[in-house]
Amino acid sequence: MACMRLGSKSEAFHLEGQAWYCTSGLPSDVTIEVGEMSFHLHKFPLLSRSGLLGKLIEEFSCEDGSGCLLQLHDVPGGAKAFELIAKFCYGVKIELSALNVVSLRCAAEYLLMTEDYGEVNLISQTEGFFNEVFGDWTDTIKALETCEEVQSYAEELHIISRCLDSLAMKACCADPNLFNWTVSGSSSKRNAAGSVMWNGISSENKPNPLGDDWWFEDVSFLSLPLYKRLILAVQSKGMKPENIAASLIYYARRYLPLMNRQSSFNDANNVNPGPTICTNSEADQRTLLEEIVGLLPNKKGVISTKFLLRLLRTAMILHASSSCRENLEKRVGTQLDQAVLVDLLIPNMGYSIETLYDIDCVQRIVDHFMSLNQAPAPSSPSIIEEGQLMSGTDALTPITMVSGLLDGYLAEVAPDVNLKLPKFQALAAVIPDYARPLEDGIYHAIDIYLKAHPWLTDSEREQLCRLMNCQKLSLEASTHAAQNERLPLRVIVQVLFFEQLRLRTSISGWFFVSDNLENSQNPSGNLELPKNDVSRQVDLVQDRVVGVENMKERVLELEKECSSMRRELHKLAKTKKSWCILPKKLGFGRRSPPCNSKES
């Protein structure tokens, strides 16, 4: 720590209780009270240094002939600072440091200790020492922290702004190792003892290079108002948004203990202990969180979605302002494709808890994401084959990722018996049909919801199943849906119909490709193939025969299932006339010709 020694005389003061006495041998003719302390001094040393004390002594009238009594309860720094000033006036040795220079500078200004009342007075001495303090990172931090004790005077003398400018310049433009700055927070990142090489040369004097986060810990000890002004200062000097965001994350985790707790009921092991030293009340934590959110950079991606969701959850627990929560929801919605399901499971913090998780919050987040990522719906063929289900374009990648995330979220919240059908439908319908290459996720969520809500009527079940496209179900999902008793009969028929149609389309396309392949390999029919080609063709033919047999069995099974469905529909038609229209609409009025193995 930098220091500066003033004065040359030895100690001339001694303390008795709550009073300081000068040991010069002369009786005291002026007593100055500062707080609970009293100083028994002499007029001449004070008059030669302080304009204010000279004025007060001159104006003081004493009728009984006793000594002059002055009260200076408003002096900056209190009795501790005035003790050093009294010693300075007597020429006693004192030492300036980063811990007392601010209070001494403010007290010297208060007492008018300018060059008009003595050469090399205290104001000029402290101002000269500030240049040495501002040259070191740690000394500047310590001086800034002491400014809170004399904040009004430090603001008036621009001490705070000078400290902040010095820190911002150092944080933005320099590596502390280049200028031999002492960084208190970096001691743990260096080796405690330097390593000794084989030739006996020690490397302890060669500090390890520090990263961009070398200043985070030091500034985290600042109060919120000073820290906020420092962040604005480094931002104005062009610091990268990534470094600003990282510093804000460090500060938030230090003073918001809720940030280091689990983010959902199912995330009990995902806890970040962090250097939390919070002793603030809930109101102070709420104010701190709102200020942190206001300081977050607007650049997309500089803050992880995980941290934003934790901030949002903490804001709900602390009942932060609606503007703060709305700001966080929009930030999450902007980069929702980077979110993880476990972080999206935000517990419901409302006063009237209807559902276990906050569905409305997720609804607003997804709505904001879709408002920024809407794309024209691509034209899709009437029949979608198995291989086309997973194909997609790069433009749809964010929406596709969010669709999978939302389907997983719906599956997590579906078992909640308090989740109403309109709310479930509204959230599932936000993602358009073209954004889901596969409908297995939404089918899984619907199946869970139907299982947890067995009291739904038939019309409500059919309305819920309209959320999925039966053409986009995979073979496994189609097989499960065809045997799912919870699905409406109309949906089961649609699943069987599209599965049969997809298999027939695949068979016809497969035979078309195989015929073209044979014609291209042997156009004249008289060419002889090498032995390797003959064995390859034999293997192809054997694989083809096995594939055809499997497809035949699958088609026969589907035809049997369709036949049983027709019989069931005819039975229902006798009791319910409304079911008579269904076979005609689905084309079951005409018997499809059976698969001919000879033609195949």
Side-chain angles (χ1 to χ4, degrees), residues 229-479:
R229 292 176 61 177
L230 177 61
I231 292 298
L232 295 176
V234 297
Q235 186 177 7
S236 64
K237 292 185 179 299
M239 175 172 283
K240 295 186 296 184
E242 291 80 3
N243 293 343
I244 295 177
S247 177
L248 291 169
I249 293 173
Y250 191 97
Y251 194 87
R253 285 179 172 169
R254 192 175 190 89
Y255 294 100
L256 295 175
L258 292 173
M259 292 295 300
N260 298 323
R261 298 181 184 176
Q262 65 244 23
S263 60
S264 69
F265 301 121
N266 301 328
D267 192 21
N269 295 326
N270 190 7
V271 178
N272 182 8
T276 306
I277 56 172
C278 176
T279 58
N280 298 330
S281 63
E282 182 175 329
D284 294 336
Q285 293 183 48
R286 180 168 56 250
T287 302
L288 187 145
L289 185 141
E290 292 174 354
E291 292 289 349
I292 291 294
V293 173
L295 292 172
L296 293 177
N298 294 324
K299 184 179 178 181
K300 178 181 176 181
V302 297
I303 305 175
S304 66
T305 309
K306 184 183 187 70
F307 178 77
L308 290 175
L309 286 169
R310 285 179 178 255
L311 269 181
L312 179 58
R313 179 178 60 90
T314 306
M316 292 179 177
I317 296 175
L318 297 176
H319 303 290
S321 63
S322 57
S323 60
C324 175
R325 296 196 302 269
E326 183 180 357
N327 187 352
L328 289 172
E329 289 175 358
K330 289 183 177 180
R331 288 178 181 271
V332 174
T334 303
Q335 51 193 54
L336 184 59
D337 54 310
Q338 304 172 11
V340 182
L341 176 59
V342 68
D343 296 320
L344 203 61
L345 297 173
I346 303 174
N348 199 337
M349 303 295 175
Y351 294 102
S352 58
I353 299 179
E354 296 180 357
T355 57
L356 184 63
Y357 296 106
D358 198 333
I359 310 295
D360 296 332
C361 174
V362 177
Q363 178 80 51
R364 292 189 295 268
I365 291 174
V366 178
D367 287 339
H368 184 70
F369 173 81
M370 292 305 302
S371 66
L372 299 176
N373 295 273
Q374 279 288 5
S379 58
S380 58
S382 57
I383 303 299
I384 304 176
E385 298 185 12
E386 185 83 14
Q388 295 176 338
L389 292 177
M390 298 305 295
S391 62
T393 59
D394 295 337
L396 295 179
T397 299
I399 303 181
T400 303
M401 295 175 63
V402 172
S403 67
L405 177 66
L406 185 60
D407 291 345
Y409 180 82
L410 290 171
E412 288 289 336
V413 302
D416 191 352
V417 295
N418 294 324
L419 179 58
K420 304 300 181 183
L421 178 60
K423 186 172 290 187
F424 184 89
Q425 287 178 298
L427 184 58
V430 175
I431 301 297
D433 180 68
Y434 65 85
R436 288 189 174 98
L438 267 179
E439 297 283 331
D440 292 9
I442 187 65
Y443 165 68
H444 179 59
I446 291 174
D447 184 39
I448 295 176
Y449 188 85
L450 291 174
K451 184 177 181 180
H453 302 77
W455 55 81
L456 294 179
T457 62
D458 293 339
S459 61
E460 289 176 337
R461 290 171 182 269
E462 290 186 5
Q463 186 180 3
L464 179 63
C465 291
R466 292 194 187 102
L467 295 172
M468 67 175 177
N469 186 354
C470 297
Q471 292 180 257
K472 292 185 178 181
L473 292 177
S474 65
L475 181 59
E476 293 79 8
S478 298
T479 305

